[in-house]
């Protein structure tokens, strides 16, 4: 049957959607997204007004980027559905960005989608149950509306050929204008690809442009002049300076313990914050006696994994794309030199500990590529105490660190520990009864209760530091303990609120029990472990040597970028084309889980053994039994195991979603 020609109204509608409707929707969406981006709904319109008046070409670029994603509607039969879908996605992204900015001071990036499951896991730490229910209802209603639009919504009656021509014309016009405005914005410095401060970049350049950059701009760009000769030049310089340096014999009998403290700073560094007493007396005392200084970190308010990555690898995450987490990109499928590999070459055992989920930032995969022998996460720890915001308290880490040192008595140990207690969100209302530390004055009164909550968590973290140093002091083994904060807390701080004048500075302390000389200096996170190893005269590893002997060279930063590119993205000239590191056969948990006995008592079945955790599940053959954690030595089975022989049982360790963490967990427990 011959198709009826489109009516004049249909033709008029086709032109209108291309020339009026889509640009209008794009403009509204862009403005609402930027209101979220500049926290206008909570902080007022001042920041948004500055963006509109001082960066109009950046705003126009953001508008054109949104419009480019809407323009395909001209091609489509269900154009109203598509336009609504894209508009909702942009608004969701904008709202998520606003929510994240309020809670962690760092904007929403494409990298956050790579840790989406972990982010959803932590949602109860930021929202009450009621708000989560409302959010779920809103998502459900949105899905229903989209389904109805797809099924019952209006259809484009214009013939497909005219839709094709019109769509191509609309796309070309949009892209042409976008290229011109983009170029003009760069010429007038209203846009840039250099994001020295991610949050500031989002404020200056807008959400759409910056989010696009975090998607497209990944990895390390090839440095100018990269080639075998440039790498050989750096390698020769490192070898020459290392040979000239006067170093003693390596002290490879010293345990190296690193503790990365979540959001930890000395609160006295915040100007205008007055407290009832010093919340960190142990930190204060240690900083007076042992080596200390400012530590430049790559993130603020969040992004723990990037500080961790710098400390472990000696690489700067600033060379990667804006907002990128190397743990979620390049380091998931390849090895790289790390402090663990360097110390293992010197005969050390390497342990990693974190009192949070094993899968967060893919540590259960990445740590093997960094050379760790074992990784003990929350799922392999006994019952832990939690904060009012449901983060594990750090006091559990003292016993775990000592356990790691005791696991390999015939070797010196590297124990790399990541804490979590100081994590936000910090509540804006009082949640602590009779807090030990009171806030007397605050630079921003809106954050008074948040600051009070934070300093009391830091106070307990300081008590953990005191307990750990006391325990290490009592051991006969020589040890060096490196303590440092990963980033500033998300307390709405500005650079002017900090005595350092920057948001990218915390502090470190290098404690020891054998009389190292106190040497105070400021360091970057990627220099920290090389500095510690240098004091022990441990100089193996090219990146390690580079930081130890080339720090004063005028080409230091440029050469570091060259080495990073070569080993991660280039031809590996540094290693003659072949990476010398193999992924370790890392096990989860330091000690195997063992079943000793199955017995019945009072009609209930129990399994006794060692190293149980709340994430253990008893298996009878391939059947997982309902399991209740009683203690590290006892589990209760709430259903008939259908056997009276303990040898028929095994243990599986799962995460909070009941997903098996490792294929070997069950075998090791058998």
């Amino acid at each position: 049957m011959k198709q009826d020609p489109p009516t004049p109204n249909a033709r008029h509608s086709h032109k209108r959607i291309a020339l009026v409707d889509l640009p209008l929707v794009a403009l509204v969406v862009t403005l609402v997204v930027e209101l979220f981006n500049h926290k206008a709904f909570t902080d007022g319109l001042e920041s948004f007004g500055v963006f509109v008046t001082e960066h109009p070409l950046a705003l126009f670029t953001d508008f054109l980027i949104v419009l480019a994603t809407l323009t395909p509607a001209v091609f489509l039969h269900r154009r109203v559905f598509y336009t609504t879908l894209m508009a909702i996605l942009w608004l969701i992204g904008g709202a998520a960005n606003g929510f994240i900015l309020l809670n962690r001071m760092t904007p929403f990036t494409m990298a956050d989608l790579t840790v989406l499951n972990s982010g959803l896991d932590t949602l109860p730490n930021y929202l009450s149950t009621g708000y989560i229910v409302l959010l779920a209802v809103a998502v459900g209603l949105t899905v229903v509306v989209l389904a109805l639009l797809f099924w019952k919504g209006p259809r484009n009656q214009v013939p497909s050929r005219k839709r094709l021509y019109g769509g191509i014309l609309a796309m070309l016009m949009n892209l042409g204008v976008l290229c011109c405005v983009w170029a003009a914005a760069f010429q007038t410095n209203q846009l840039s690809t250099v994001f020295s401060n991610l949050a500031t970049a989002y404020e200056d350049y807008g959400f759409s442009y910056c989010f696009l950059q975090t998607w497209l701009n990944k990895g390390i760009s090839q440095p100018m002049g990269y080639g075998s000769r440039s790498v050989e030049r750096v390698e020769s310089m490192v070898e020459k300076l290392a040979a000239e340096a006067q170093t003693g014999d390596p002290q490879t009998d010293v345990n190296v313990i690193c503790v990365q403290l979540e959001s930890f700073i000395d609160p006295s560094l915040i100007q205008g914050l007055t407290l009832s007493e010093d919340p960190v007396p142990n930190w204060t005392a240690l900083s007076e006696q042992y080596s200390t200084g400012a530590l430049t970190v790559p993130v603020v308010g969040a992004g723990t994994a990037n500080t961790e990555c710098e400390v472990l690898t000696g690489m700067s995450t600033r060379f990667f794309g804006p907002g990128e987490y190397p743990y979620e990109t390049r380091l998931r499928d390849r090895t790289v030199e790390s402090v663990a590999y360097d110390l293992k070459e010197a005969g050390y055992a390497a342990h990693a500990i974190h009192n949070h989920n094993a899968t967060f930032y893919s540590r259960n995969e990445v740590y093997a590529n960094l050379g760790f022998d074992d990784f003990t996460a929350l799922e392999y720890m006994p019952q832990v105490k939690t904060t009012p915001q449901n983060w594990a308290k750090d006091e559990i880490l003292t016993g775990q660190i000592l356990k790691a040192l005791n696991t390999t008595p015939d070797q010196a140990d590297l124990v790399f520990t990541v804490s979590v207690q100081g994590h936000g969100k910090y509540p804006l209302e009082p949640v602590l009864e009779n807090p030990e530390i009171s806030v007397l004055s605050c630079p921003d009164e809106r954050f008074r209760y948040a600051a009070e909550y934070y300093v009391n968590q830091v106070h307990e973290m300081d008590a953990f530091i005191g307990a750990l140093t006391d325990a290490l002091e009592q051991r006969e083994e020589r040890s060096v303990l490196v303590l440092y904060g990963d980033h500033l807390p998300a307390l709405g701080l500005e650079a002017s609120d900090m005595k350092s004048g920057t948001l990218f500075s915390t502090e470190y302390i290098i404690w020891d029990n054998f009389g190292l000389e106190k040497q105070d200096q400021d360091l970057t996170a990627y220099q920290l472990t090389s500095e510690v190893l240098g004091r022990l005269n441990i100089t193996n590893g090219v990146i390690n040597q580079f930081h130890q002997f080339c720090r004063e060279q005028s080409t230091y930063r440029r050469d570091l970028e060259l080495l990073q590119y070569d080993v991660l993205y280039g031809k590996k000239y540094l290693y003659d084309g072949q990476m010398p590191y193999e992924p370790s056969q890392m096990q989860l948990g330091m000690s195997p889980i063992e079943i000793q006995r199955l017995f019945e008592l009072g009609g209930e079945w129990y399994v006794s053994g060692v190293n149980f955790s709340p994430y253990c599940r008893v298996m009878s053959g391939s059947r997982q039994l309902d399991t209740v954690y009683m203690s590290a030595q006892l589990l209760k089975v709430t259903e008939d195991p259908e056997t009276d022989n303990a040898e028929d049982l095994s243990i599986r360790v799962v995460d909070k979603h009941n997903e098996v963490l490792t294929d070997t967990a069950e075998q090791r427990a058998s």
Side-chain angles (χ1 to χ4, degrees), residues 117-139:
N117 288 338
S118 297
L120 293 175
D121 286 345
T122 61
L123 194 60
N125 299 85
Y126 294 92
L127 289 176
S128 66
T129 303
Y131 279 116
I132 293 176
V133 171
L134 287 176
L135 181 62
V137 170
V139 171

Side-chain angles (χ1 to χ4, degrees), residues 4 141 176 182 201 339 342 375 411 464 491 516 535 558 607:
D4 293 334
L141 289 175
W182 190 299
V339 63
D342 290 340
F375 172 32
Q411 289 177 276
F464 150 65
L491 287 171
L516 284 177
R535 297 190 187 187
R558 179 156 49 92
V607 175

